[in-house]
PDB file of all heavy atoms in Angstrom:
ATOM      1  N   ALA F 164      18.555 -13.593  -6.723  1.00  0.00           N
ATOM      2  CA  ALA F 164      19.870 -14.016  -6.611  1.00  0.00           C
ATOM      3  C   ALA F 164      20.723 -12.847  -6.012  1.00  0.00           C
ATOM      4  O   ALA F 164      21.548 -12.999  -5.058  1.00  0.00           O
ATOM      5  CB  ALA F 164      20.429 -14.599  -7.831  1.00  0.00           C
ATOM      6  N   VAL F 165      20.541 -11.665  -6.651  1.00  0.00           N
ATOM      7  CA  VAL F 165      21.323 -10.427  -6.191  1.00  0.00           C
ATOM      8  C   VAL F 165      21.023 -10.196  -4.679  1.00  0.00           C
ATOM      9  O   VAL F 165      21.929  -9.845  -3.952  1.00  0.00           O
ATOM     10  CB  VAL F 165      20.982  -9.279  -7.085  1.00  0.00           C
ATOM     11  CG1 VAL F 165      21.436  -8.011  -6.466  1.00  0.00           C
ATOM     12  CG2 VAL F 165      21.571  -9.438  -8.527  1.00  0.00           C
ATOM     13  N   THR F 166      19.744 -10.247  -4.386  1.00  0.00           N
ATOM     14  CA  THR F 166      19.243 -10.031  -3.025  1.00  0.00           C
ATOM     15  C   THR F 166      19.899 -10.907  -2.003  1.00  0.00           C
ATOM     16  O   THR F 166      20.320 -10.581  -0.841  1.00  0.00           O
ATOM     17  CB  THR F 166      17.737  -9.908  -2.890  1.00  0.00           C
ATOM     18  OG1 THR F 166      17.329  -8.989  -3.850  1.00  0.00           O
ATOM     19  CG2 THR F 166      17.356  -9.551  -1.576  1.00  0.00           C
ATOM     20  N   LEU F 167      19.880 -12.234  -2.262  1.00  0.00           N
ATOM     21  CA  LEU F 167      20.378 -13.208  -1.552  1.00  0.00           C
ATOM     22  C   LEU F 167      21.861 -13.059  -1.275  1.00  0.00           C
ATOM     23  O   LEU F 167      22.382 -13.280  -0.095  1.00  0.00           O
ATOM     24  CB  LEU F 167      20.061 -14.677  -1.991  1.00  0.00           C
ATOM     25  CG  LEU F 167      18.656 -15.183  -1.907  1.00  0.00           C
ATOM     26  CD1 LEU F 167      18.442 -16.449  -2.861  1.00  0.00           C
ATOM     27  CD2 LEU F 167      18.329 -15.508  -0.508  1.00  0.00           C
ATOM     28  N   ALA F 168      22.626 -12.732  -2.337  1.00  0.00           N
ATOM     29  CA  ALA F 168      23.976 -12.582  -2.191  1.00  0.00           C
ATOM     30  C   ALA F 168      24.358 -11.359  -1.426  1.00  0.00           C
ATOM     31  O   ALA F 168      25.296 -11.389  -0.633  1.00  0.00           O
ATOM     32  CB  ALA F 168      24.674 -12.433  -3.666  1.00  0.00           C
ATOM     33  N   ALA F 169      23.496 -10.351  -1.437  1.00  0.00           N
ATOM     34  CA  ALA F 169      23.699  -9.152  -0.678  1.00  0.00           C
ATOM     35  C   ALA F 169      23.473  -9.468   0.778  1.00  0.00           C
ATOM     36  O   ALA F 169      24.136  -8.854   1.756  1.00  0.00           O
ATOM     37  CB  ALA F 169      22.838  -8.028  -1.136  1.00  0.00           C
ATOM     38  N   LEU F 170      22.541 -10.325   1.012  1.00  0.00           N
ATOM     39  CA  LEU F 170      22.099 -10.718   2.370  1.00  0.00           C
ATOM     40  C   LEU F 170      23.079 -11.704   3.006  1.00  0.00           C
ATOM     41  O   LEU F 170      23.338 -11.681   4.131  1.00  0.00           O
ATOM     42  CB  LEU F 170      20.804 -11.398   2.414  1.00  0.00           C
ATOM     43  CG  LEU F 170      20.159 -11.647   3.687  1.00  0.00           C
ATOM     44  CD1 LEU F 170      19.958 -10.405   4.605  1.00  0.00           C
ATOM     45  CD2 LEU F 170      18.752 -12.344   3.405  1.00  0.00           C
ATOM     46  N   HIS F 171      23.877 -12.469   2.112  1.00  0.00           N
ATOM     47  CA  HIS F 171      24.808 -13.506   2.535  1.00  0.00           C
ATOM     48  C   HIS F 171      26.100 -13.280   1.846  1.00  0.00           C
ATOM     49  O   HIS F 171      26.517 -14.109   1.095  1.00  0.00           O
ATOM     50  CB  HIS F 171      24.252 -14.842   2.299  1.00  0.00           C
ATOM     51  CG  HIS F 171      22.989 -15.206   2.926  1.00  0.00           C
ATOM     52  ND1 HIS F 171      22.967 -15.663   4.218  1.00  0.00           N
ATOM     53  CD2 HIS F 171      21.747 -15.011   2.514  1.00  0.00           C
ATOM     54  CE1 HIS F 171      21.782 -15.833   4.510  1.00  0.00           C
ATOM     55  NE2 HIS F 171      20.912 -15.545   3.574  1.00  0.00           N
ATOM     56  N   PRO F 172      26.895 -12.247   2.102  1.00  0.00           N
ATOM     57  CA  PRO F 172      28.226 -12.069   1.501  1.00  0.00           C
ATOM     58  C   PRO F 172      29.183 -13.016   1.991  1.00  0.00           C
ATOM     59  O   PRO F 172      29.069 -13.515   3.206  1.00  0.00           O
ATOM     60  CB  PRO F 172      28.648 -10.598   1.971  1.00  0.00           C
ATOM     61  CG  PRO F 172      27.897 -10.411   3.267  1.00  0.00           C
ATOM     62  CD  PRO F 172      26.588 -11.161   3.080  1.00  0.00           C
ATOM     63  N   THR F 173      30.038 -13.642   1.150  1.00  0.00           N
ATOM     64  CA  THR F 173      31.030 -14.551   1.596  1.00  0.00           C
ATOM     65  C   THR F 173      32.159 -13.945   2.343  1.00  0.00           C
ATOM     66  O   THR F 173      32.356 -12.807   2.336  1.00  0.00           O
ATOM     67  CB  THR F 173      31.645 -15.262   0.323  1.00  0.00           C
ATOM     68  OG1 THR F 173      32.434 -14.350  -0.501  1.00  0.00           O
ATOM     69  CG2 THR F 173      30.577 -15.898  -0.455  1.00  0.00           C
ATOM     70  N   GLU F 174      32.944 -14.766   3.025  1.00  0.00           N
ATOM     71  CA  GLU F 174      34.126 -14.257   3.797  1.00  0.00           C
ATOM     72  C   GLU F 174      35.152 -13.585   2.891  1.00  0.00           C
ATOM     73  O   GLU F 174      35.692 -12.695   3.252  1.00  0.00           O
ATOM     74  CB  GLU F 174      34.779 -15.371   4.506  1.00  0.00           C
ATOM     75  CG  GLU F 174      33.885 -15.942   5.702  1.00  0.00           C
ATOM     76  CD  GLU F 174      34.669 -17.096   6.497  1.00  0.00           C
ATOM     77  OE1 GLU F 174      35.840 -17.310   6.111  1.00  0.00           O
ATOM     78  OE2 GLU F 174      34.014 -17.540   7.419  1.00  0.00           O
ATOM     79  N   GLU F 175      35.310 -14.158   1.663  1.00  0.00           N
ATOM     80  CA  GLU F 175      36.149 -13.595   0.702  1.00  0.00           C
ATOM     81  C   GLU F 175      35.713 -12.226   0.271  1.00  0.00           C
ATOM     82  O   GLU F 175      36.543 -11.247   0.056  1.00  0.00           O
ATOM     83  CB  GLU F 175      36.304 -14.472  -0.565  1.00  0.00           C
ATOM     84  CG  GLU F 175      37.045 -15.729  -0.174  1.00  0.00           C
ATOM     85  CD  GLU F 175      36.089 -16.852   0.398  1.00  0.00           C
ATOM     86  OE1 GLU F 175      34.891 -16.623   0.542  1.00  0.00           O
ATOM     87  OE2 GLU F 175      36.653 -17.891   0.880  1.00  0.00           O
ATOM     88  N   GLU F 176      34.408 -12.062   0.018  1.00  0.00           N
ATOM     89  CA  GLU F 176      33.893 -10.704  -0.335  1.00  0.00           C
ATOM     90  C   GLU F 176      34.093  -9.740   0.658  1.00  0.00           C
ATOM     91  O   GLU F 176      34.390  -8.604   0.417  1.00  0.00           O
ATOM     92  CB  GLU F 176      32.501 -10.911  -0.738  1.00  0.00           C
ATOM     93  CG  GLU F 176      32.128 -11.715  -2.031  1.00  0.00           C
ATOM     94  CD  GLU F 176      30.699 -11.984  -2.228  1.00  0.00           C
ATOM     95  OE1 GLU F 176      29.909 -12.048  -1.257  1.00  0.00           O
ATOM     96  OE2 GLU F 176      30.321 -12.431  -3.361  1.00  0.00           O
ATOM     97  N   ILE F 177      33.873 -10.119   1.913  1.00  0.00           N
ATOM     98  CA  ILE F 177      34.097  -9.121   3.006  1.00  0.00           C
ATOM     99  C   ILE F 177      35.511  -8.855   3.205  1.00  0.00           C
ATOM    100  O   ILE F 177      35.910  -7.594   3.228  1.00  0.00           O
ATOM    101  CB  ILE F 177      33.547  -9.881   4.328  1.00  0.00           C
ATOM    102  CG1 ILE F 177      32.031 -10.101   4.233  1.00  0.00           C
ATOM    103  CG2 ILE F 177      33.846  -8.896   5.527  1.00  0.00           C
ATOM    104  CD1 ILE F 177      31.455 -10.847   5.437  1.00  0.00           C
ATOM    105  N   ALA F 178      36.425  -9.829   3.189  1.00  0.00           N
ATOM    106  CA  ALA F 178      37.873  -9.533   3.273  1.00  0.00           C
ATOM    107  C   ALA F 178      38.427  -8.637   2.193  1.00  0.00           C
ATOM    108  O   ALA F 178      39.420  -7.891   2.396  1.00  0.00           O
ATOM    109  CB  ALA F 178      38.613 -10.903   3.364  1.00  0.00           C
TER     110      ALA F 178
END
Side-chain angles (χ1 to χ4, degrees):
V165 167
T166 304
L167 284 168
L170 190 59
H171 299 275
T173 64
E174 292 182 3
E175 291 79 9
E176 288 169 343
I177 296 172

